[in-house]
């Protein structure tokens, strides 16, 4: 039986980008369905009744929600010859720790930059740069977070590269603050899976500005 893989998504979503990258890394064909988040489809509400958020991966009719869980599911379901998570339990736990750090620290800091002005913006900017420097320290001189292979932490963090342009909102230079992290992002972008999954930075920046105005 042919597999049916549907991704309920929204193009600017960093969480949706994770799923797109993981599916493309594994060479899985999927049907990406764009959601209107101001008028959610009955399918989204049915498949993610708890959070009612995208992304949702629907594999042969069964939903998987939450992007980090989804990337893990994709890794366990397809392409065992090109794993995203390490097989060693401690390395695996470590990778999950850093992906969780991205969600708990980087994402809120970034949102705070969009939402604030004046002194609050300065504080948000400081927090955001600190988080990126911590990640840069973890990357060290490695090609990718897990070493020589592109993996789970890379998939979790690289979507945020498309938002590094937030520096324009807060007047700082990411490349000056975190040169190794920017070099890592450019390395990731050479992968087809990443290049195809991240939106154009200028289009995204315009979207963020519109979103900021509405908020
Ligand atoms: N923790 C979730 C976050 C998903 C999320 O925040 N999705 C946003 C779009 S980026 C959404 O669907 N928002 C609609 C809403 O909150 O009503 C994940 O990792 O998948």
């Amino acid at each position: 039986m042919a597999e049916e893989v549907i991704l309920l998504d929204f193009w600017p979503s960093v969480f949706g980008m994770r799923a797109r990258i993981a599916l493309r890394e594994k060479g899985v064909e999927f049907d990406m369905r764009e959601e209107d988040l101001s008028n959610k489809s009955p399918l989204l509400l049915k498949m993610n009744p708890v959070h009612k958020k995208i992304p949702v991966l629907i594999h042969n009719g069964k939903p998987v929600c939450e992007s980090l869980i989804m990337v893990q599911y994709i890794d366990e379901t397809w392409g065992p010859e090109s794993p995203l998570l390490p097989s060693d339990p401690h390395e695996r736990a470590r990778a999950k720790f850093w992906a969780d750090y991205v969600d708990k620290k980087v994402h809120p800091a970034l949102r705070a930059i969009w939402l604030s002005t004046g002194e609050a913006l300065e504080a948000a900017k400081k927090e955001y740069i600190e988080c990126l420097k911590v990640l840069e320290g973890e990357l060290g001189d490695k090609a990718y977070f897990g070493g020589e292979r592109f993996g789970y932490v890379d998939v979790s963090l690289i979507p945020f590269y498309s938002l590094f342009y937030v520096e324009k909102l807060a007047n700082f230079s990411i490349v000056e603050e975190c040169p190794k992290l920017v070099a890592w992002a450019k390395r990731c972008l050479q992968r087809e899976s990443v290049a195809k999954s991240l939106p154009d930075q200028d289009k995204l920046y315009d979207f963020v500005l519109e979103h900021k105005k509405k908020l």
Side-chain angles (χ1 to χ4, degrees):
M1 190 187 84
E3 288 200 298
E4 188 190 46
V5 182
I6 298 168
L7 183 66
L8 304 183
D9 203 346
F10 177 45
W11 70 269
S13 169
V14 285
F15 306 108
M17 288 176 219
R18 287 175 173 167
R20 284 172 236 164
I21 295 170
L23 288 165
R24 289 184 171 127
E25 276 293 319
K26 298 286 185 162
V28 180
E29 298 275 326
F30 62 100
D31 172 10
M32 180 172 150
R33 296 200 191 158
E34 194 71 6
E35 278 287 329
D36 172 358
L37 295 181
S38 61
N39 180 23
K40 294 173 186 170
S41 72
L43 185 62
L44 172 58
L45 299 176
K46 180 174 167 212
M47 291 292 164
N48 190 356
V50 176
H51 295 304
K52 305 177 179 65
K53 290 185 177 193
I54 59 91
V56 181
L57 178 74
I58 312 173
H59 183 200
N60 293 336
K62 291 191 279 189
V64 182
C65 303
E66 291 294 310
S67 61
L68 290 179
I69 295 172
M70 208 173 288
V71 174
Q72 198 175 332
Y73 176 84
I74 293 166
D75 196 33
E76 288 164 359
T77 306
W78 291 285
E81 66 289 348
S82 49
L84 293 170
L85 272 151
S87 54
D88 174 76
H90 185 256
E91 288 300 313
R92 224 173 147 81
R94 218 180 138 76
K96 288 182 191 172
F97 171 86
W98 285 111
D100 183 59
Y101 179 89
V102 174
D103 275 7
K104 290 207 173 100
K105 302 288 285 185
V106 179
H107 184 245
L110 198 55
R111 266 190 78 77
I113 292 184
W114 295 1
L115 300 179
S116 49
T117 50
E119 271 180 31
L121 176 61
E122 282 310 302
K125 175 170 123 181
K126 193 162 164 273
E127 168 76 9
Y128 179 59
I129 294 172
E130 267 172 29
C131 291
L132 293 185
K133 281 189 190 289
V134 169
L135 284 162
E136 192 173 63
E138 170 58 20
L139 176 67
D141 291 320
K142 300 190 291 278
Y144 299 107
F145 279 87
E148 287 308 305
R149 291 179 68 102
F150 179 81
Y152 188 67
V153 183
D154 306 297
V155 176
S156 309
L157 179 63
I158 192 60
F160 289 85
Y161 179 66
S162 38
L163 292 168
F164 278 8
Y165 265 70
V166 80
E167 64 190 13
K168 283 203 235 167
L169 289 175
N171 196 23
F172 65 98
S173 160
I174 292 275
V175 76
E176 274 172 30
E177 298 285 350
C178 301
K180 281 188 186 171
L181 203 61
V182 172
W184 158 85
K186 293 199 168 145
R187 205 171 302 128
C188 293
L189 267 173
Q190 284 168 8
R191 301 182 78 80
E192 200 187 336
S193 66
V194 177
K196 269 187 151 176
S197 304
L198 266 53
D200 176 76
Q201 275 186 329
D202 291 328
K203 184 176 167 202
L204 192 60
Y205 182 67
D206 290 344
F207 172 83
V208 170
L209 283 188
E210 274 306 303
H211 194 58
K212 196 173 156 73
K213 265 190 237 157
K214 277 188 213 151
L215 290 169

